[in-house]
Amino acid sequence: MLPRTGNRTVKCAPFAASLLLLFGMALPVVAEPSRTVLIFYGENRLHPAITVFDENFRSAVQEGAGQPVEFLTEFLDVGRFPDDRYETLLTDFLRRKYLGRPVDLIVAGGPTALKFLLRHREQILPKVPIVHAAVTSAQLRALAPPPDVVGMPVDPDPVPTIELAQRLHPKARRLVLVTGTSAWDRDWERLLREAIPRFPKQVQVEFLAGLPMAELQERLRSLSSDAIVFVPSFFQDGAGVSFVVHDAVTQIATASAVPVYGPSGAFIGTGMVGGYMPTLEAIAQQTGEIVQRLLHGVPPSALHLLGVQRNAYVVDGRQLHRWSIDEKALPAGTIVQFREPTFWETYRERIVAAAAVVLLQVILIAVLLLERRSRRQAIAELQASKKRMNLAANATGVGMWVWNIARDNIWATPQARALYGIGESEPIDIERFLHALHPADRESTKKTLDDALATGNDFELQYRVVHPEGEIRWHSARGQVEFGESGQRCSVVGVSLDITGQKTAELAAERHRSELVHLTRVGLVGHLSAAIAHELNQPLTAILSNAQAAQRLLRREPADLEEVREIFQDVIDENQRAVEIIRRLRSLFNRGELQRQPLDLSEVAREVLTLAHSDILTRNVTLVAELANGLPAVPGDRVHLQQVLLNLIVNACEAMAANEPDQRSLRVRTENVDGTEVRISVADCGKGLCAEGLGRIFEPLFTTKAHGMGMGLAISRSIVEAHGGRLLASNDPKGGATFEVFLPTGEGNCS
Amino acid sequence: MTAMDATVFIVDDDPAVLKALARQLHAAGYRVATFASAQEFLDGYAQEHAGCLLLDVAMPGLDGLELQRRLTETGRNLPIVFMTGHGDVRMTVQAMKNGAVDFLIKPILEAELIGVLQEAIDRDASTRQARSELTEIERRIASLTPREHEVLKRVVAGKRNKQIAAELGTVEKTIKAYRGRVMEKMQASSLAELVLLAKRAGIATTSRLNATKRRSVRSPSE
């Protein structure tokens, strides 16, 4: 601790500066200061009633306030967190938050907020007056606030609401009153029981009091249609679960099979029909006026607030519609919120348009009828119909064709000829048609046609068409076999459609999916590299720090050579450690951490080809798979071997990227080598490996690719060797490279 | 001057790195203390040691971010410089958000390391200065009798002697005497200085608004 005098001098300089600031600012202030009003809501900010109230309240205060008013807002959300711990934390948080922040007035929006504030105001903002809003007289009596808490209470008399419900549902015979279990809910229950004599005589009164929410909903769901429901408040259910009232009423109104009424403006929008209540706008206006007077310096005790908020009939227009309530039955002066626009108001434009279309059609039909009457010849009609059909076909891009089987002659619309890139006068037979297709699709298309002819079934197929300019389009075709009188197949009729756009999108989606799978697979390598990088960093850090220390020590006079010697020994040790890490990586796959099981390598190859299918297709690579059946089982790790194969296939495809599309052929073969080994080969038609590449391709970090890591083949070989096998690379004399994996069969050969 | 009694505390689970860093910083003229784990540091470090902490993020058991959190929790706010083997953005952001001075990627060049450590040490020195001033103010407040404390609270809230006298049920003259003693014990030469001292100690003080409002309300009766 500093001595007294010393301390004073230390502090004086900053204090003097602050003093100047303090006097300079505090004393001459005469301009109108801004006032701060802090509004508390018991619920969270998304509560719809709060939005309505808050907006109206702010504008009511600002109107004629005569000075700037700053509004701060707190959403307590205590309905959802009813425990004491939260209340303590919240109080402490609010206390700290407003420490040193002057607040002129507090507004308690609703009974929950008021209850909280009466309990904690002294900790948070001692002595700041409170104006409450939307609190009932009964709740006020129960809370017994001190004299500096003022406001205009609301007084929701249940009788007019129930009378309204009876008036709108004259056939109702049962009145179901729903109440909860909190102290306020019980007050309501008592109030309702006292009011029973004043209820309309036509209805029989029933209580659903203090039920758990689930049971209550069940009961409401099964109510007969001669019932109406009244719910005044619902803070807690029979199971002791606390609710935000708005949410509880929403659940009640949603479950109820009959209309629900209630006495609070906050319930409008929950699914409730309405009631006799003060509107939120009126409460906000009234509260705003009280706040204004207090801000103008009127002490709370001098406000003579007599009476309660004026009530009005308020209903939800959407609910009127839902329950088929006639608006004419509403009492005069009823406020209808959310009034639904009429069908005409909503759809005026569409109705006009539809009417116009109908009118046009009538005129058209009339014209056509006239025209038809004037030209009666059947041929002319046929021509017109053909013309129309062509028109429709052209408009949709559909080509139509008929294949006369006996004469092997195909008639096609001009649209169909254009689709296949066949000239207008060129005769078409089935060979000519197949010739228009992509070579890879000819075989399968021919087979589908043969099958259809054999079975007589309708068919649907997709194939690629190669236009004379070389453009490739995807087509979808549907056809139907037609039979002659004696049951022989005489023709096939069908339509073709260009679906290239759709197909491209499908392929793109498949490619994404496959890239994802691929990434997951190679993720293992990435993960490993990160771990290695991290491990290597440690010795490198130590070496660097040691070297920098040595530099400093050598600069000293006299240099501490003994320590420098020690440093060099440490540098050597750390270097050895780095070497060790790299050696460990190499042997990582040799340590027998493989999950071995007997594998059919043709099966493994098939799985990988499925995985790589999209990749192969989108790279325009033609796949030739020669997978032998009944191969002897190889004990191995499925995932690791799949990774090796996938790596080889992806490499092969990449090696052919520079080739012309018809020069991209990938051959994957599996075969049994004299029963002791299985051989898998992956051959491409790329430009092969250079002499240096052949020697070094399996070394780590050697790569011929622009973006390669140079780890793929090194890891692949480690995996194959861990299986007791060999991975070899060679060049094909005809061009291209071949990678061969030899894996031993049987447990005995496996290391 | 600040580095004089400052120590660089190094925590790294790698003994070779720990030794090399300690050697390097020692050669650069710093007082160094090393710890092989976060737990060891947590158990051994006391608030009164000035300096800064050079901390490895990734460690088995208690990691660097967790140690940072626990130090904050126990009110030991030593400035922290993190080290990591690889730049992990999420970790960096977390550490910086929690108030770290910097985040260095291993291996670390000396110029960068020393620059950052110096910044951390300076930061520590200025927080300590501020803290000792606050302790002094709190000591002065603690020396007040309960009655003097009541008077202090009301004086700095902008109340007049007469008003305070009424609230405490005594006469203005007595309050004046108390007020003098308060000024003396708090070593304040003016009301404004007293208000400033109280404000730093977290006592509610008068605001401009309240002062103006009160004046305008009272003026007719005075």
Side-chain angles (χ1 to χ4, degrees):
Chain A
M1 188 139 318
L2 298 165
R4 254 175 92 130
T5 45
N7 200 10
R8 277 184 79 79
T9 47
V10 167
K11 266 195 323 340
C12 270
F15 276 17
S18 311
L19 274 179
L20 276 175
L21 269 174
L22 194 77
F23 285 125
M25 288 169 69
L27 295 180
V29 168
V30 275
E32 199 66 72
S34 112
R35 298 312 196 85
T36 304
V37 174
L38 173 57
I39 314 162
F40 284 86
Y41 295 106
E43 294 74 18
N44 75 21
R45 74 183 66 226
L46 298 175
H47 195 299
I50 287 180
T51 317
V52 176
F53 174 88
D54 202 67
E55 212 171 274
N56 285 281
F57 168 72
R58 284 174 193 227
S59 62
V61 174
Q62 226 119 31
E63 259 172 35
Q67 75 230 77
V69 180
E70 181 192 21
F71 294 98
L72 301 173
T73 322
E74 289 297 341
F75 300 88
L76 303 171
D77 210 8
V78 282
R80 284 192 175 79
F81 300 90
D83 56 320
D84 291 347
R85 199 180 62 88
Y86 174 68
E87 205 162 312
T88 314
L89 280 174
L90 188 59
T91 308
D92 190 45
F93 162 72
L94 291 169
R95 182 179 64 77
R96 287 169 191 230
K97 181 171 177 182
Y98 290 101
L99 204 66
R101 174 86 185 227
V103 169
D104 297 274
L105 254 189
I106 298 173
V107 173
T112 318
L114 181 60
K115 190 173 166 187
F116 176 88
L117 282 168
L118 290 180
R119 229 183 279 169
H120 303 294
R121 172 179 57 165
E122 282 321 294
Q123 287 113 284
I124 301 168
L125 288 159
K127 302 272 177 296
V128 179
I130 298 177
V131 178
H132 60 76
V135 179
T136 68
S137 312
Q139 284 162 343
L140 269 187
R141 271 196 300 281
L143 292 170
D148 64 342
V149 176
V150 294
M152 182 80 94
V154 294
D155 202 0
D157 183 358
V159 179
T161 297
I162 288 164
E163 283 170 347
L164 172 73
Q166 217 280 315
R167 177 172 177 166
L168 299 181
H169 307 279
K171 290 189 190 133
R173 291 293 169 264
R174 296 167 63 195
L175 170 62
V176 180
L177 304 170
V178 175
T179 54
T181 58
S182 79
W184 289 338
D185 296 338
R186 292 218 182 280
D187 283 348
W188 260 108
E189 193 189 333
R190 196 170 36 75
L191 200 141
L192 287 172
R193 289 195 192 278
E194 284 164 8
I196 291 177
R198 293 194 286 140
F199 290 167
K201 298 288 166 270
Q202 298 92 317
V203 292
Q204 188 192 332
V205 177
E206 300 167 36
F207 272 89
L208 286 180
L211 294 177
M213 181 54 91
E215 196 189 330
L216 173 60
Q217 285 180 310
E218 202 42 56
R219 296 279 288 272
L220 291 170
R221 247 177 237 122
S222 56
L223 282 178
S224 55
S225 63
D226 64 345
I228 42 179
V229 172
F230 176 86
V231 52
S233 86
F234 203 96
F235 286 90
Q236 191 180 49
D237 76 354
V241 179
S242 290
F243 283 90
V244 173
V245 185
H246 184 269
D247 296 350
V249 177
T250 306
Q251 291 186 30
I252 288 167
T254 310
S256 175
V258 296
V260 177
Y261 287 80
S264 164
F267 298 177
I268 297 287
T270 58
M272 181 194 79
V273 181
Y276 187 63
M277 59 184 74
T279 63
L280 289 171
E281 289 84 346
I283 297 175
Q285 182 65 36
Q286 178 72 52
T287 312
E289 283 164 16
I290 295 172
V291 165
Q292 255 187 40
R293 291 171 67 191
L294 292 177
L295 289 181
H296 276 124
V298 181
S301 54
L303 285 176
H304 296 290
L305 296 170
L306 292 177
V308 294
Q309 288 280 353
R310 257 214 321 279
N311 290 328
Y313 289 107
V314 184
V315 293
D316 184 338
R318 296 167 301 191
Q319 299 304 321
L320 294 182
H321 184 75
R322 174 179 166 202
W323 301 107
S324 314
I325 298 166
D326 190 351
E327 255 190 62
K328 292 192 195 80
L330 294 170
T334 302
I335 299 164
V336 183
Q337 297 187 336
F338 304 110
R339 184 196 293 275
E340 293 221 307
T342 61
F343 187 80
W344 171 252
E345 284 167 344
T346 315
Y347 299 110
R348 182 165 37 204
E349 279 173 18
R350 286 198 217 175
I351 295 170
V352 170
V357 168
V358 169
L359 191 69
L360 236 118
Q361 272 185 342
V362 169
I363 295 169
L364 244 156
I365 291 167
V367 170
L368 284 174
L369 281 174
L370 283 172
E371 190 192 344
R372 202 167 115 151
R373 195 180 297 162
S374 68
R375 295 197 292 161
R376 292 250 165 115
Q377 293 95 333
I379 294 168
E381 218 172 86
L382 190 69
Q383 268 173 354
S385 129
K386 194 173 156 194
K387 216 188 231 164
R388 262 181 248 130
M389 190 181 72
N390 269 344
L391 191 73
N394 276 334
T396 52
V398 172
M400 284 176 281
W401 44 260
V402 181
W403 176 29
N404 186 318
I405 297 165
R407 276 190 266 157
D408 189 14
N409 159 316
I410 298 174
W411 170 86
T413 59
Q415 187 71 22
R417 283 176 180 270
L419 278 178
Y420 290 94
I422 297 174
E424 275 183 39
S425 51
E426 193 182 337
I428 317 174
D429 57 17
I430 196 71
E431 276 311 310
R432 175 67 187 87
F433 163 71
L434 288 174
H435 183 72
L437 305 190
H438 191 278
D441 294 335
R442 284 176 197 159
E443 194 56 37
S444 58
T445 306
K446 176 112 181 29
K447 190 170 179 316
T448 308
L449 282 174
D450 290 345
D451 287 351
L453 285 177
T455 59
N457 290 340
D458 293 359
F459 62 90
E460 186 169 351
L461 72 165
Q462 294 183 356
Y463 43 74
R464 283 163 289 179
V465 170
V466 184
H467 281 201
E469 318 83 66
E471 194 192 356
I472 295 177
R473 308 292 297 178
W474 277 95
H475 280 199
S476 169
R478 294 187 71 137
Q480 200 170 36
V481 181
E482 290 192 330
F483 300 92
E485 279 168 7
S486 50
Q488 85 279 18
R489 280 93 171 117
C490 64
S491 59
V492 181
V493 288
V495 289
S496 298
L497 185 65
D498 188 316
I499 54 159
T500 309
Q502 178 196 344
K503 199 72 189 171
T504 315
E506 274 173 22
L507 286 177
E510 197 176 340
R511 191 163 63 238
H512 275 133
R513 207 163 40 239
S514 129
E515 271 167 8
L516 207 65
V517 174
H518 180 65
L519 280 177
T520 320
R521 297 237 150 191
V522 298
L524 174 69
V525 179
H527 188 74
L528 229 82
S529 321
I532 294 158
H534 180 69
E535 269 204 79
L536 276 180
N537 250 318
Q538 297 294 96
L540 290 178
T541 305
I543 289 170
L544 182 64
S545 288
N546 273 320
Q548 285 168 338
Q551 269 182 335
R552 277 190 183 267
L553 291 177
L554 288 174
R555 252 183 267 139
R556 281 194 195 155
E557 279 302 332
D560 182 349
L561 291 181
E562 186 47 43
E563 177 149 21
V564 173
R565 218 168 278 132
E566 268 177 39
I567 288 178
F568 278 125
Q569 186 53 49
D570 282 356
V571 168
I572 292 167
D573 290 348
E574 285 306 294
N575 187 72
Q576 186 52 41
R577 180 172 155 205
V579 169
E580 187 62 23
I581 290 167
I582 293 171
R583 197 191 60 72
R584 235 179 26 233
L585 157 72
R586 286 226 186 102
S587 62
L588 193 63
F589 290 104
N590 289 329
R591 285 195 300 181
E593 289 172 4
L594 302 170
Q595 305 285 322
R596 291 194 191 187
Q597 58 187 100
L599 297 175
D600 176 349
L601 289 184
S602 288
E603 186 61 39
V604 173
R606 248 189 296 277
E607 286 163 4
V608 173
L609 288 173
T610 317
L611 262 175
H613 175 74
S614 279
D615 207 30
I616 293 170
L617 203 69
T618 48
R619 288 171 193 269
N620 277 315
V621 170
T622 312
L623 170 72
V624 182
E626 298 166 11
L627 305 178
N629 286 326
L631 285 179
V634 167
D637 185 306
R638 177 182 296 270
V639 175
H640 279 134
L641 289 178
Q642 278 180 345
Q643 202 185 338
V644 170
L645 216 47
L646 188 71
N647 190 15
L648 295 180
I649 288 170
V650 171
N651 280 351
C653 289
E654 282 174 357
M656 296 186 287
N659 291 15
E660 288 298 315
D662 59 343
Q663 297 294 313
R664 298 179 192 165
S665 171
L666 168 72
R667 211 183 63 223
V668 178
R669 256 175 88 92
T670 57
E671 61 190 313
N672 181 358
V673 185
D674 66 46
T676 61
E677 274 184 325
V678 172
R679 171 175 174 271
I680 310 176
S681 60
V682 177
D684 63 54
C685 313
K687 58 183 193 306
L689 298 160
C690 59
E692 190 206 2
L694 267 179
R696 296 187 50 203
I697 192 140
F698 296 112
E699 283 178 22
L701 307 178
F702 178 86
T703 183
T704 58
K705 299 181 205 164
H707 303 289
M709 271 248 305
M711 292 303 286
L713 283 174
I715 290 174
S716 292
R717 173 173 264 189
S718 304
I719 293 172
V720 172
E721 285 175 355
H723 283 81
R726 291 165 291 149
L727 173 58
L728 307 173
S730 59
N731 279 330
D732 189 327
K734 283 179 278 176
T738 302
F739 284 83
E740 291 173 296
V741 180
F742 290 92
L743 289 166
T745 60
E747 299 291 324
N749 289 342
C750 195
S751 62
Chain B
M1 166 212 142
T2 43
M4 230 164 47
D5 49 356
T7 306
V8 178
F9 297 91
I10 314 176
V11 180
D12 197 311
D13 62 308
D14 190 316
V17 173
L18 194 61
K19 184 174 167 194
L21 283 171
R23 189 180 261 156
Q24 180 183 13
L25 291 174
H26 189 249
Y30 287 90
R31 188 193 296 170
V32 177
T34 59
F35 300 85
S37 75
Q39 191 61 50
E40 200 178 293
F41 178 77
L42 202 57
D43 296 342
Y45 175 73
Q47 173 66 30
E48 60 266 21
H49 296 305
C52 71
L53 174 58
L54 182 59
L55 176 60
D56 189 35
V57 172
M59 286 185 289
L62 208 59
D63 72 9
L65 289 178
E66 181 63 19
L67 174 60
Q68 181 185 31
R69 205 179 60 76
R70 296 221 188 154
L71 285 175
T72 314
E73 255 179 24
T74 49
R76 294 180 279 183
N77 355 333
L78 191 65
I80 301 178
V81 175
F82 278 101
M83 306 179 281
T84 178
H86 51 94
D88 177 328
V89 176
R90 191 190 55 77
M91 259 189 191
T92 315
V93 169
Q94 191 57 47
M96 296 309 284
K97 259 189 178 169
N98 295 346
V101 179
D102 211 331
F103 207 98
L104 303 173
I105 311 278
K106 286 179 182 174
I108 311 160
L109 287 174
E110 192 171 271
E112 190 185 12
L113 177 65
I114 286 176
V116 171
L117 288 178
Q118 196 53 51
E119 186 194 332
I121 288 168
D122 292 347
R123 199 190 275 193
D124 183 53
S126 61
T127 6
R128 275 169 203 282
Q129 166 89 19
R131 209 155 41 212
S132 80
E133 282 174 17
L134 185 63
T135 316
E136 169 61 17
I137 296 171
E138 278 167 356
R139 191 195 58 76
R140 290 180 199 166
I141 289 176
S143 73
L144 300 180
T145 65
R147 197 66 168 172
E148 287 164 355
H149 195 259
E150 287 301 308
V151 171
L152 168 69
K153 273 199 324 203
R154 288 172 171 75
V155 168
V156 299
K159 292 187 177 166
R160 305 291 165 99
N161 289 350
K162 204 160 134 192
Q163 204 178 347
I164 300 172
E167 283 183 25
L168 297 182
T170 178
V171 293
E172 202 173 342
K173 205 173 150 193
T174 317
I175 297 300
K176 260 187 190 160
Y178 274 126
R179 196 169 171 148
R181 278 207 295 281
V182 168
M183 295 289 278
E184 190 185 330
K185 282 189 176 177
M186 292 299 292
Q187 301 177 24
S189 53
S190 71
L191 175 59
E193 190 181 342
L194 187 69
V195 169
L196 215 60
L197 288 169
K199 197 168 189 168
R200 286 189 67 182
I203 295 174
T205 54
T206 181
S207 73
R208 288 187 285 128
L209 169 65
N210 292 344
T212 349
K213 200 164 120 194
R214 205 162 286 116
R215 246 201 322 282
S216 64
V217 169
R218 202 193 344 263
S219 51
S221 65
E222 276 180 352

